[in-house]
Amino acid sequence: MLEVLDISETLDNLPPPSRASNAVKCRKGTGKKHVAMTEPNTKPAWVDHVTRIRDHKDETAFAELFAHFAPRVKSFLMRGGGDATIAEECTQEVMATLWQKAHLFDPSRASVSTWVFTVARNKKIDHLRKQKRPEPEDLPWGPEVEPEQSDVLVMQQETEALGRALSELPEKQRDLVEKAYFGDMSHTEIAEVTGLPLGTIKSRIRLALDRLRHAMK
Amino acid sequence: MKQIKHHLTDELIMGYSAGTLPEAFNLAIATHVSMCDACRAAVESYDAVGGTVLEQCETVEMSAQALADTLAMIKQDGPAAPVAATSSRAADVPAPLADYISGSLDDVKWKPVGMGVKQAILETSKEASARLLYIPAGTAVPDHGHNGTELTLVLRGAFFDEEDYFGPGDIEVATEADEHTPVADIGADCICLAVTDAPLKFRGLLPRLAQPFLRI
């Protein structure tokens, strides 16, 4: 936890304008200079894999990502009554989408598992429920900005903290949360499972949005 | 950035993130989120919960050739097609809504429903309905209750009811318990996106004037 505090303080001490100009510089540059700064022991889970897929079409990285996420995505697609054969096909399409959209992933705003979840969820709505999924308008700065490595690390730490908080919930409540995301719970039932520990991750994302909006003014 | 005072509820944001809401609700939520950073951050937070649930869930084994098949699919499909530019749409029509109407709010094909009020029904899946409402400045919408949940997002102009004032980007979340008389602000005609999951079966049994405000 000490590491988390240290990085948060570093971030807080940096005035927004200087960070903003950094962001603009990265945008204009090669966009690769921050990747090499990753410490081996603080490497965010799977972010490096996605980068290797994006930059080098690295099939080894993809195979590892596949081994971890495909069985989870298949499980997600089968819940709520999905057929195993269709779930298998849809999972392969989800994984192919991750390859094709690797350049759209922004690790300063989401973890890889969050990104995989959103792609799988959209596949479930599109293919299994046969509906369009209206998505929020893309932000004007787009995903091409190479994010600050410190932002990526903090997002990873917030994600881990959220994971711990969820796994520490009383079992009944944790089951409800899983059912809300995996089953077909109505939104009135979902009302019972809100009040999740979202404080830090929410303010983290809000901060990233504010800072980027400021940078683009 | 406009000052948005009326936001989505946690239930709606979680339902949107989980992907369990009807298309009409997703449309209203995505349109509001396009205009509201606070709710965008909340949606991304609930997406993070989804990611965590996925990370911690039980797994189901893939077939032996699944990876090879997927790589073959990737090579066959080639790179993703670039997303079409949306720069042609009007400034006050957020991208998710632009997929449901053609052009600007000024080109909507309105149908009169009485007292100068007009509506245009948008095509979505059947569990809930979505429509644009055009309320002339200063016009009161007849006193009405709600069946089910109704979301009303202001796109242009403003309206107020007994308790609150709703300007562009504001979304009103009304449930069966709410009963009110919205009035369009005198300053300008008001255009809203209204969605409801109220049942459609009573159509035609209600007074002609009140009907459009109760359900389509």
Side-chain angles (χ1 to χ4, degrees), chain B:
Chain B
M1 204 64 195
K2 290 174 287 268
Q3 192 64 41
I4 291 173
K5 294 198 195 74
H6 298 279
H7 299 275
L8 294 161
T9 63
D10 277 349
E11 295 99 288
L12 287 166
I13 292 172
M14 187 181 189
Y16 179 73
S17 173
T20 52
L21 297 179
E23 183 182 348
F25 279 73
N26 287 341
L27 172 61
I29 291 166
T31 306
H32 172 78
V33 166
S34 300
M35 304 161 91
C36 177
D37 273 0
C39 288
R40 189 187 287 268
V43 165
E44 292 181 14
S45 311
Y46 277 100
D47 286 349
V49 176
T52 304
V53 171
L54 186 75
E55 190 63 44
Q56 295 178 6
C57 78
E58 287 178 17
T59 59
V60 177
E61 206 179 344
M62 295 291 286
S63 65
Q65 74 284 6
L67 174 62
D69 287 353
T70 306
L71 282 167
M73 192 193 312
I74 289 164
K75 280 163 193 164
Q76 195 188 330
D77 291 353
V83 179
T86 51
S87 53
S88 60
R89 75 193 155 72
D92 60 355
V93 180
L97 181 61
D99 292 341
Y100 289 79
I101 65 174
S102 52
S104 100
L105 291 174
D106 298 316
D107 304 327
V108 173
K109 293 190 176 65
W110 299 103
K111 295 207 167 126
V113 292
M115 294 172 61
V117 179
K118 296 179 281 189
Q119 72 173 8
I121 294 170
L122 307 180
E123 196 175 319
T124 62
S125 71
K126 289 188 168 46
E127 315 104 288
S129 57
R131 66 203 190 279
L132 292 173
L133 275 181
Y134 184 104
I135 311 166
T139 302
V141 176
D143 192 11
H144 68 286
H146 302 95
N147 281 12
T149 302
E150 185 174 279
L151 311 183
T152 309
L153 171 65
V154 178
L155 299 167
R156 190 185 283 183
F159 73 84
F160 55 90
D161 62 12
E162 290 83 348
E163 294 180 6
D164 279 310
Y165 185 89
F166 297 82
D170 281 331
I171 191 162
E172 183 191 41
V173 181
T175 60
E176 290 173 40
D178 298 307
E179 203 159 308
H180 67 158
T181 308
V183 181
D185 192 15
I186 196 73
D189 296 348
C190 177
I191 297 179
C192 305
L193 170 64
V195 306
T196 177
D197 59 359
L200 306 175
K201 59 187 173 182
F202 297 121
R203 176 171 188 172
L205 297 180
L206 291 147
R208 175 107 184 101
L209 276 181
Q211 180 186 327
F213 308 112
L214 288 161
R215 52 187 74 86
I216 293 170

Side-chain angles (χ1 to χ4, degrees), chain A residues 48-199:
Chain A
D48 193 40
H49 287 72
V50 176
T51 309
R52 277 155 59 197
I53 293 165
R54 182 193 67 188
D55 294 343
H56 308 297
K57 304 191 188 304
D58 184 332
E59 293 190 13
T60 307
F62 184 73
E64 287 168 12
L65 192 80
F66 191 97
H68 182 77
F69 283 107
R72 287 172 167 77
V73 170
K74 188 175 178 182
S75 168
F76 168 70
L77 294 174
M78 283 178 67
R79 289 282 290 273
D83 171 82
T85 312
I86 295 172
E88 168 91 21
E89 281 169 22
C90 288
T91 300
Q92 293 185 20
E93 288 168 22
V94 167
M95 298 309 296
T97 301
L98 298 179
W99 177 295
Q100 283 149 354
K101 295 197 170 174
H103 61 289
L104 296 176
F105 172 62
D106 179 351
S108 71
R109 272 171 60 197
S111 69
V112 174
S113 59
T114 298
W115 179 51
V116 176
F117 166 74
T118 59
V119 173
R121 172 201 63 205
N122 291 359
K123 173 61 76 180
K124 197 172 191 175
I125 294 171
D126 169 49
H127 192 92
L128 302 180
R129 285 174 61 198
K130 311 280 184 206
Q131 289 187 12
K132 277 201 279 182
R133 159 86 183 183
E135 289 281 345
E137 189 167 323
D138 286 338
L139 295 166
W141 46 82
E144 76 272 26
V145 179
E146 192 74 40
E148 298 278 327
Q149 201 59 33
S150 55
D151 287 346
V152 175
L153 278 175
V154 175
M155 177 46 71
Q156 171 70 12
Q157 283 156 350
E158 296 295 352
T159 305
E160 281 166 10
L162 180 65
R164 278 194 302 276
L166 273 185
S167 65
E168 285 163 9
L169 284 177
E171 196 173 327
K172 189 164 172 260
Q173 203 187 345
R174 197 155 48 92
D175 284 351
L176 275 174
V177 174
E178 194 178 297
K179 197 177 159 220
Y181 279 87
F182 274 33
D184 251 342
M185 218 179 210
S186 74
H187 62 276
T188 42
E189 288 173 297
I190 283 174
E192 294 171 30
V193 293
T194 51
L196 291 164
L198 288 177

